[in-house]
Amino acid sequence: MNQDYITPNPWSIIEDGFEVDRVQSSESLFSIGNGSMGQRANFEETYTGPSFQGSYIGGVYYPDKTRVGWWKNGYPEYFAKVLNAPNWIGINVIINDEILDLFSCKKVENFRRELNMKEGWLGRSFEATLQNDITIKVDIKRFLSLDQEELGVIDYHITPLNSEAKITFIPYLDSGITNQDTNWEDQFWKTTNKEVSDKQGFIESHTLKTFYHVCTFMESHLFLNGNKSETKGKPLQKEIEVSISFEEQVAQGNTLSLQKYAGYTTSLNHDKSELISAATSVLEKATSEGFEGLLNTQKQAWSEIWKMSDISIDGDVKAQQGIRFNIFQLNQTYTGTDHRLNIGPKGFTGEKYGGSTYWDTEAYCIPFYMATKDQQVARNLLKYRYNHLEKAIENAEKLGFTNGAALYPMVTMNGEESHNEWEITFEEIHRNGAIAYAIFNYHRYTGDYSYIPEMGLEVLIAIARFWEQRATFSTQKNKYVILGVTGPNEYENNVNNNFYTNYIAKWCIDYAVENLRKVEIEYATDYERILQKTKLTTTEIESMLEVADNMYFPYSEEHGVYLQQDGFLDKEMVKVDDLDQDMRPINQHWSWDRILRSPYIKQADTLQGFYFFEHHFKKEEIEKHFDFYEPFTVHESSLSPCVHSIQAALLDRMEQAYAFYLRTSRLDLDDYNKEVKEGCHITSMAGTWMSIVEGFGGMRVKNDQLHFAPKIPKEWTSYSFKVNFRDRILKVEIGHDNTNFTLEKGNQLQIVVNGATVEVK
Amino acid sequence: MNQDYITPNPWSIIEDGFEVDRVQSSESLFSIGNGSMGQRANFEETYTGPSFQGSYIGGVYYPDKTRVGWWKNGYPEYFAKVLNAPNWIGINVIINDEILDLFSCKKVENFRRELNMKEGWLGRSFEATLQNDITIKVDIKRFLSLDQEELGVIDYHITPLNSEAKITFIPYLDSGITNQDTNWEDQFWKTTNKEVSDKQGFIESHTLKTFYHVCTFMESHLFLNGNKSETKGKPLQKEIEVSISFEEQVAQGNTLSLQKYAGYTTSLNHDKSELISAATSVLEKATSEGFEGLLNTQKQAWSEIWKMSDISIDGDVKAQQGIRFNIFQLNQTYTGTDHRLNIGPKGFTGEKYGGSTYWDTEAYCIPFYMATKDQQVARNLLKYRYNHLEKAIENAEKLGFTNGAALYPMVTMNGEESHNEWEITFEEIHRNGAIAYAIFNYHRYTGDYSYIPEMGLEVLIAIARFWEQRATFSTQKNKYVILGVTGPNEYENNVNNNFYTNYIAKWCIDYAVENLRKVEIEYATDYERILQKTKLTTTEIESMLEVADNMYFPYSEEHGVYLQQDGFLDKEMVKVDDLDQDMRPINQHWSWDRILRSPYIKQADTLQGFYFFEHHFKKEEIEKHFDFYEPFTVHESSLSPCVHSIQAALLDRMEQAYAFYLRTSRLDLDDYNKEVKEGCHITSMAGTWMSIVEGFGGMRVKNDQLHFAPKIPKEWTSYSFKVNFRDRILKVEIGHDNTNFTLEKGNQLQIVVNGATVEVK
């Protein structure tokens, strides 16, 4: 654990005390979002210390020019940059002509932040003594409305404590933002219109190239001791900023407060000529409800979310705080209502990694959304990939594949590849497998087969075609090999016969052909349509099966395990525990070549295969592979500990499982990888959920039935979660001596607990 | 062959006719240089068509910030960019108020360029009809003085053919240059001073960051029909430009000409406060000698160079032109007089590839310079690396090596690594071997052992240490393996046990230890000094030998050949001849992953090992490996065909050897790789020299004796070359029926011809 300044609390993330060095980490941890937009927890008022400003609108991106040292054929010319959007949270505060700036105050006391996850708001309070010796008490609450996704609200209170003071609030909108990750002075936004009155302000701007039109808007109301003030605001305009100044003399002990209603209307949801009128409607509705009214609606909306997705843990407040933080962030990032959006690896908490969609969605996020939301949400995620199929085929064509073979991009925003590192972009092709696996997993869990004849089978055929073409027949081995790949473990590049990749490739072909046959028999019309569209021939199917049936898997007779890739055992096999601990994390201490020739595994790779295909292997095999690979795994990817936690639990190694659980659930809160200031690891948070439900709870779906093998870490008294399974809501409560299953929706459900069939009512 | 517009001629490169599409290629091919500075063959007058402006000063570079998509630990923060220097060739020409611009003329006729290699000058002549219907005849000659390395001269003649005309010459200096390879608006130069009179102009500027101070200077003289004109120039200054305008009314048929003396004085050779006075001295000397005087000196200097380094070929003018072009460019690039300089891969003909020094110098260039120059020149090249030893040790430390192990940079200007592509920078480590090999080669050829105890042994120890640390003991193989490398064939990345790398690694250790023992016995004082400095212990030596003695080499029993790397035979082994020819060059048609998993070899790799260590193998072994690897080699590196040519000649495959010879010698003239507009391939030109001397001539040094096995392509009548061997100059003339060896310097020499000892007098 690398930091521990977050106060343990079951429902809130709390920081006590102001430290300049923690500001950027806290900006990440206290981020808020409502699925449609989100923002880092930047201060509203001026702050001149180190800060990472971030405000993001879902689906709004910029195709930035790829710049690499050495160009390789096949690189995309552009990558989808997650754009920092115009800032609407800003409120400059002036106390007797001195700007409030926590970085330059004489004293800051009783500083406290709270991210109240139960109710969905961010609070901040402090007492500051300025250089002019005036001490003020400040109390701020802010949230992004779940109910009105274009709206955010701020309530900003100031009380002068040791004298009267002239207090000036200057709420503003600033369109002059830039990205932190830009090395050059590019502009991404063009401002086209500004309007400002004594109460409201609007800035219209659009992104360059992609022409997303956005109206950033605000309206502010002033209150003295809770009573609406009659003081008029003074409107001001700068080149790319509008602001309104409210000034009032405030007696010692009195409280002046500003309520700011603000947000974005965008051309994603409105005609671009109607953005201001749409914004005006939002403001009208919002101000008529008022801050307290909106806050109540917000609490209500979060209460609905928690009702289904909460996991409660008794007896271990840090574990409790961790899982809720993960669930909260997932719900802030993606609500499932907009099929154009996806789950970005940093959500709305940072801008690292361009694009929004990685294989993380299929491999890690789908189980969470399947079990805690309506099944339409998971189906939307699958549909997202179906909508991108044509672009995935074009992408494969760029790399020399033909005849409708698809390679889904490593990173994407609109279906086009957005990544530019050959060993990943061109070689981390196992991602194709996860997309097929998600189809299998969706059907297994929801029982909804309709997606496959309607859309999924086309995806499966295109992926199977890819693998058929990508495999090479080795006359040496008399088998099909897959050369030059990067597996999930990105600490190996351009290796041959990565077990995980070969295994999922074979599976993809088998699964595609299996479904082809099923659709042929059961959905004849769809079958005809698909055959006509894909021009799939019997010869091609035979050729695919020839590859699948003769796939090579590297295996060590000596160790009785499949090898991560050819030549793995030539490495210097020093276990992680025997490594100089000063060298860790190795990605911050070793040059890339040293990492590559070491045996260290960044994230579950062979074990990811055993996780996905657990049902293909005996427990002894899983154990043998776990014992072989775990000691070499450094977990320097956020996606790693959850898989190990699930497997450790399966193998009854509860201490290890618990350690991995803490690591995955508190990865950001405790900043294990020393990088939380860049943003949180959103997608792996779904892995945390899995490590409880699938790990400790042992939940699996087999033959249309939910199975459980409940376990509990010794540190916990009990824990409980709910899953939505085929229109029933099942509550699972697990203690040390008892397990309760209750149906909260639906009449009855047959489940299997530790091998025994149980009827739940 | 992709273009053939260059007119065959034994001593000149000639282009007849003006074509806009050829301008950039010709700018490369007609480049001139004098070892100290050089320039692309840009036009003196305005040209608004597509052009690639380039003027370069040896040793002047800029440390540009590395920009990569994804940073890897160990990347250098900066890379040495070859800088485009201020332009001094510019002469704007105005005919009756219309600017002469070949891109916008009504008509251009009788356009001709000539690069006269025998005499060392560039000529250009044409007749142009302007939009104002005036037709002028233009004749220009330009050269960079070998005798005065800071000086260049231009003689520019204009004759109005169809009417009288007002002719204005505006010679200028322009400091506002930028690099073509910059994607951003960086400035590399800062102008600090300008001076201009009616005759002379000076601009002082310095590079940013590196602070190389340069005075760019000029003086111009006007002549009418060969008689000095009394017309005064009008000085002009712009922000970063000085110019002088000369205007004269010229009768039809009369000739106005301008002689421009210009060049650079730099802080590399002068105190920065004395650059203008140094420039004035250069101008004084130059103008007193006059254009014709300087041209005579130039012819004389080139005649001296050709006397030693020429290779004449009878009966095959294209072959003749090719080899002379190669020898000419090598001599333009590096004269061996300045030990701070080296042989950049593009010389002074382009800016691609930052830095000046690659392993090309040791692997390809040293034999040429050893045999055609004083042996001090080759020794300077070795000393260059000795001077960089400390930085090579630091470079290795950055990558985790310890205890004085050295890794020489892949690309360098000042000893620091300048490359930023992990698979090359960190993994193409065989370059270390070439640096040791050059020491061996130098001693073998010159017989001068003194470099080893004085400097070379320290280099050898540091390199041996690197290999000892870089190898890994594989318990699987019970051998030392070298994992994660890129061999000379850069179409394979991050492979294990590249034969060439493993072989040269073992050899480096053996050779270091062998010399350690020799120095211990024969140079005891040096030995003490070196041992004290390097702190080399007996244990460390034993550990090195343990690695060398147990090195693993991948071998195929089936084919009876060493394998390029582990797993090579798993590839789809389709020979180059059976490949769809539309796919070639594959680096312009295939994505990188497809190239990597193909068996195609960019440049000699295993065969490079058999070339270097020919004396370790039987002819049958060389033949077997040649037969195995040649069919997979695509020669998409300029460094490839020469090695194959030499080996084909050794194996008596003269047709193949001749084809490879043509390809290497006319690579740029015929633009095989469709990229000559970026600049010429300078370092591989030394390989062309080797393909005649070592290939057809069969020259080798064994046991302090020159051996020859003379052969001649059937296309040639005869050919001859000279080599400087241990202070004797031997002329070799080879025909179909007779071979003559003549000593041009020295009293007598015992050589071995086809196995028989011959005394040459």
Side-chain angles (χ1 to χ4, degrees), chain A residues 85-123:
Chain A
N87 169 17
W88 59 250
I89 65 160
I91 303 175
N92 283 329
V93 174
I94 303 172
I95 308 293
N96 276 5
D97 303 325
E98 181 178 335
I99 291 171
L100 171 62
D101 172 1
L102 291 189
F103 194 64
S104 62
C105 279
K106 258 192 186 163
K107 204 160 67 181
V108 180
E109 288 184 309
N110 298 322
F111 181 94
R112 185 172 202 266
R113 286 198 222 230
E114 176 177 2
L115 180 63
N116 188 309
M117 302 185 288
K118 188 169 185 180
E119 303 181 346
W121 50 262
L122 168 66

Side-chain angles (χ1 to χ4, degrees), chain A residues 73 474 477 493-494 570 587, chain B residues 73 474 477 493-494 570 587:
Chain A
N73 285 332
S474 163
K477 297 195 161 73
N493 291 155
N494 194 40
D570 277 339
N587 68 16
Chain B
N73 286 330
S474 162
K477 297 194 160 73
N493 291 155
N494 194 42
D570 277 338
N587 67 17

Side-chain angles (χ1 to χ4, degrees), chain B residues 404-444:
Chain B
L407 176 61
Y408 277 91
M410 189 66 206
V411 181
T412 194
M413 188 65 98
N414 63 356
E416 287 165 16
E417 179 60 82
S418 219
H419 198 95
N420 50 49
E421 214 182 2
W422 66 265
E423 62 274 22
I424 307 291
T425 316
F426 303 152
E427 295 206 340
E428 202 173 330
I429 53 176
H430 68 78
R431 60 192 187 245
N432 246 6
I435 287 160
Y437 186 83
I439 296 173
F440 159 78
N441 205 13
Y442 171 80
H443 171 229
R444 174 170 68 173

